Amino acid sequence: MPKKFIVGNWKMHGSIESVDALLSGLSLMGADAGSVAVCPPFVFIPAAISALKGTGVSVGSQNVSAYDQGAYTGEISAGMLSQLGCKYAIIGHSERREQWLESDQQLAAKFVSAQAKGLTPILCLGESIEQREAGGALAFVERQLRSVVDIVGIESLSLAVIAYEPVWAIGTGKTASPDQAQEMHAHIRSVLAELSDEVAEKVQILYGGSVNAANAAELFSRQDIDGALVGGASLKVDDFASIIAAAKAV
Ligand code: PGA
């Protein structure tokens, strides 16, 4: 099993001053190569890449266009991000699915576009509270996964990361229990294993949704939880560092 991977999703937070302070803290933290990434808002990506050079912390984007170039006002292409030195692109975060109505087809196109330019997609999946309470969480997430895999092909998942983020746990302080998260991660892996054992074994499946310094270690102790996609706690260097330390200690 690959080592744990911790990704910070800053969402639309930060100012020039606060990002500067956050990056200074992160640059002093030190990380094993490939074990930590942060995804700042687009405009702070160049500053992050420059401040984190040589620290082992990689940089990703929170979104990416499905298009290469052209008359697409407001879009940012995978080629542009890659040229800056980005390594990852979060694709299909529930906030984008819900508020920008991004469809599975659009997300699959973004996934293909990101990989074509050398970015590793971090594909987010997750059910709503209604779906969980109705007993349909596993089936819903499986459908989200299959609708992208059917388009991009199973082999391309070997160069991607999956993040399971139950919508009801994001920013709410209500983390999925380690058992709930483990059950879903194992299910995601078994769906992939139907198509390719090799890919299922290789792909990292991160958990996201109110991960913090206090709950990280227990989540990471579960077999199929390969790391975390961290929102709020990634904006505080000490909390983020504790989560990284918990991942390293497993
Ligand atoms: P949270 O966000 O850690 O603040 O719940 C996670 C995410 O949305 O990626």
Side-chain angles (χ1 to χ4, degrees), residues 9 11 93 95 165 169-171 209-211 229-232:
N9 173 11
K11 308 196 180 184
H93 191 282
E95 287 152 16
E165 297 205 306
I170 295 176
S210 298
V211 175
L229 180 52
V230 185

Side-chain angles (χ1 to χ4, degrees), residues 29-50:
M29 201 179 65
D32 298 334
S35 67
V36 180
V38 291
C39 300
F42 283 128
V43 292
F44 297 127
I45 285 175
I49 285 171
S50 142

